[in-house]
Each structure stands twice: as structure tokens, then as C-alpha cells.
Amino acid sequence: MDPLSIGIVGLLGVLALLALGCPVGLAMILAGGFGFSAIVGIDPALNVLETAAFEVSSNYSFTLIPLFLFMGSIAARSGFSKDLFDSSRYFSRGWNGGLALAAVSSSAAFSAISGSSLATASTMTRVAYPEMMKQGYHPRLAAGSLAAGGTLGIMIPPSVALLLYSLITEQSVGDMFLAGFLPGLLAYSLYMVTVTIMVRKWRPTAEQTKTEGTTLWVALKQLAPVALLFSLVMGGLYGGLFSPTEAAGVGAGLALVFALFRGLSWEEYREAVVEAVSVSATIFLILIGAEVFGFLLSVSQISYQMVDLIYQYNLSPWMVMIAIIIFYVIMGCFLESLAMILLTVPIFYPVVVASGFDPIWFGIIAVVTVETGLISPPVGMNLFVVQSAAKGLKTKDIMFGVIPFVMADLVRLAILLAFPIISLWLPSVFGSGSL
Amino acid sequence: MERLISVFDKIAFFSLSSMVFIVVASVLGRLIFDLTGGTLSLVLPGSIELVSYALAIMVFSSFPRAVMGGMVKVDLLVRVLPVPVQRFLDRLWDLVLASFAAIVGFLFFHKMLTMFKRGDVSQDLEIPLYLVYGVLTICCICIVLTAVWLAIKGERDLTPNK
């Protein structure tokens, strides 16, 4: 068999292994390892395996993954989420559906220090869902706003998904974070509009329009630690004080200091560390898999053959882009978001760049599409996370509740496709420049 | 098995905590150096190297816990299969994971011997590299044991370490 055929078999092999429930990282290692050894021999393949396992796990640039995850784990255990929710409630008081608006706002703020959609959805649901039920919110409105609000974590910096994209495509982490900022705000705005429309159909039956005991001063004080943490991490990063890894380390250290002042116990600290390292390990297995699989893609030259096909059949770049997006939307319903980015970006990235698209813009489009998959029924990960964190929530309610938010996401995707400047303006002004 | 894994949890815990400490100390050291115009140097030497090796040890020592909790996978299609088939597949992937860890552990062990014979040390702090590979080899053995144990036991304990 020629290298290209082996590469195609390897690609199909990954999909078959995934369908059989093989862990994503392991599937990529198996297909990549066997495919690579079939092309270049067993000894180089073993060498690749050893090198990938060591080089990936000791890569200094990847240090920011566990550090940002640790920052999020600490933030989830130190009461930031409740303060953010209370503060957002104060600012959205008097509005119809104020609690749902507060849920989306506090999710956006929490994601600015968490970096993970699943952590944001889980933490905010525990805080906001019981209160929303108490005030007569329809479960569909409550669950939909919390599941969708959680997805903001994947776009608002520091986002683990944007981080992984920048690491595997060797784009500037700072530029990627800047590029995600406006699309994140756009998502937030569209979600707020969606909530406002949904409230007309599912009006809360016992909504309180006053927030007792909370004044503007209290609300600002509740917001302050998160605002300070975000400003220091991002300010330090863009002000040239820290490298991305240092920003993650300083963020984790500061989150820990804030948490200690707020009474974080030893047990909670230990839990936060164990959670951060366990999630990191699952991500690193996928990263090792992506590295091994990357060798197969490289020697089989699949991506370059795809580029050749595009030139040969004179396909327009936009046709290619739309095909990729359709693939992402469909696969996003089945595959975990980070796994999908690590599996597909090495294949599509050379094609996208050869088609003349901006790599940073494509990163945003890919992550936005993956983000939509997080709440796409029936298998969006955030739906399960919200359901497990909200007692008594029926599957039917959450499935119907997220549909308006999925539509909002599709509107945002169309806007971002039509106006790349939304993603590229901030990097061009404050970053290393991509325009 | 839980006791064995909790030992590796502690190693991962120590590695991550040290990474946070080293990065923060390194930034503070540099800031002080800059602010004092270079008169007071508290810059940590070899911090990048230390953090890199701590990361490798953290990743491999936290694999057993991650394996216990379940790795990221697509179970949508598998869920419709009969329960005995699902269990068979789970056990199969556990054994495949054990084999992968065994191969990587074997490769790390050989690398450790090579490093020991050659006396290879790291660039900045001159840490003997066989030590790093040695720790990683031990972690791989624990991953193998955990995955084989899961394959034999046939069910996962999803509760986090208490």
C-alpha cells in the first residue's frame, strides 16, 4: 500500500475506534502508531512513541494547560461563582427574566477566570438553578440559559480550546485570546437577546424584582476579585510583563491567594489540584495521540493531497470552508470539543491556510462551531453537565431549552464568517498583527 | 489499588503545586530584578527546566487517576450495544491502554539506562536525566497496573480520591 492509502486507512481507523468507544487519545495513538510503522518501520515508530510521550508531557508551552485548569478549579471552590451571580442579579434587577440574564452574565464573568465550558456550566448551574426554580422559572429557560452561558468559557479568554489551537498551529497565544474576545462578547449579547425573547414565552411566575441587602457598592465588591484577577492576568500578558505560561502561573497563584482569604480549606485545595491534574492527564493523552497521529499525517501527506485536490478541481476557498464547517457542526454533536480540535485541526489547517484564509480567524470559526456542538441536542456535553448539576431537571426540558441558543450560535457563526474583522481587529491593534 | 493511586496523586499534587510556586517565584524574581535596576537578583535559575520536568512527572503520575475516572471517549454508538458487549469493549480498551503504557514504560526504562550510562544531565541545573526517566518509568508501571486492574474488575470507580 502506498503512504497515502495507509494515511486514509489510519484516518478511517481512528473514526472506527472512536465509534467502538476507544478513548480518543488512545485511538489516535493506535492508528497513528500502526500507520506510521507500516510506512517507515517499527523501530522509527517506537522512537516516535517515546519522543512524543516525553516531548509533549515536558513541553514548557503546555504548562499553561494545567495552570489555567488549576485556576478554574480553585475559582470554582472559593465562592467566586455565587458572588458573581449575586452581583449580576443586582445589575439585571427589574428586567423581565433578570435571573436568567444574571445567569448568562455571571457565566461570562466566571469563564473569564475558568477557561473551561464544562467547569463554568457545572459551577453556575449549582449556584443559579435552585434560585431560578424558587422564583418560578420554566426549567427550559433556566437550563437553556445555564447550558448556553457555560459555553462562553470556550471563547472568552483564557480559553483552553483557543490555547490548544494556538499551540498546535504555532499561532501566538496572546493573539488567539484577543481574537476570541469580541466573538465572546457577541455570543454573550446574542444570548442576552435570546433570553429576553424566551422570557416572553416562559414568563417566571414568582420573580422578585428587588435584591434585598445588595447595594451598588456590595455588587461591585463582589465583582472585584474576578475583575482584578482577569485584569492582572490579561494586563500582564498584553502589557509584556508575562509570557502566556507566566500569566497562567500568576493567575493560578493569585486565585489561590484570593481563595485562601475566602477560607479555602486544605481538603478543597487538594480536590482542586486532583481535579486539575486528572483533567490535564486526559488532555495530555489526546495531545500525545495528536502528536503520534501528526507523524502519520505528515508521512502520508494527506493534507497536501487534499490541497492538491482543491487546486485540481478548482474548488473555491469558500466551498472548502463551508464543507469544513458542515463537518464540524455534525461531528461537534458527537465528539468532545478539545478532542475534536486536536484531531481535526492538523488535517484541516494546511488546507485552510493554502486556501488563503487567516489562521487566527479559522481558529475562532473552528472553536465557535465546536462550541455550538457543546449544546447541540442530543449529545452536547454541556447538556449532561447541566442536567447532572440541576436536581430534577428532565432531559426533554434541557433539549428544548437550548434550541433557541443553538440558533443564536448559528447566527453568530454567520456573522463571524461574513465579517472576519470581528475576530481579527483586536489582534491587529494590540497583538503581533494579522491584518 | 486505591492506596497505590493515592501515592501517585500526591506526586501529581506536589508537581503542580511546585509548578505554580516556581512560575510565580520566577516572575516575582524578575520583577524585583527589573525594579532594582539589576542590583537585587532573586531570579530563579533553571526555572523553565524545573517546570518542564515537573510537568512531565505531573502528567504521568496523574494518568492512573484519570484512567480510573475514565478517559475522553465517544460512547454514543457504544451505548446502544448490549451491556456484555459494552463491558467487553471497556475491558479491551483498558488492556490496550495497559499495553501502550507498558511499551512507553519499557522505552523510558531503556532511555533511563542509556542516560545513566552516559551520565546525561539537564542543561541549566545539571539534573541527572535518568532520575526523570526513572520516575516516569515507575508512573508507567502504575498506569499498567491500574488499567489491568480495571480490566479485571470490569467496572470503574468514578468517585474522586477521598
Side-chain angles (χ1 to χ4, degrees), chain A residues 20 24 241 246 269 334 379, chain B residues 17 30 56 72-73 76 93:
Chain A
L20 288 171
V24 178
L241 275 179
E246 288 172 345
Y269 173 64
F334 302 97
V379 287
Chain B
S17 301
R30 204 183 56 231
V72 177
K73 58 184 177 183
L76 186 73
W93 302 133

Side-chain angles (χ1 to χ4, degrees), chain A residues 186 190 404-417:
Chain A
L186 179 63
L190 286 171
F405 293 97
V406 174
M407 287 160 73
D409 272 353
L410 294 176
V411 169
R412 176 169 54 128
L413 182 61
I415 293 173
L416 292 175
L417 281 169

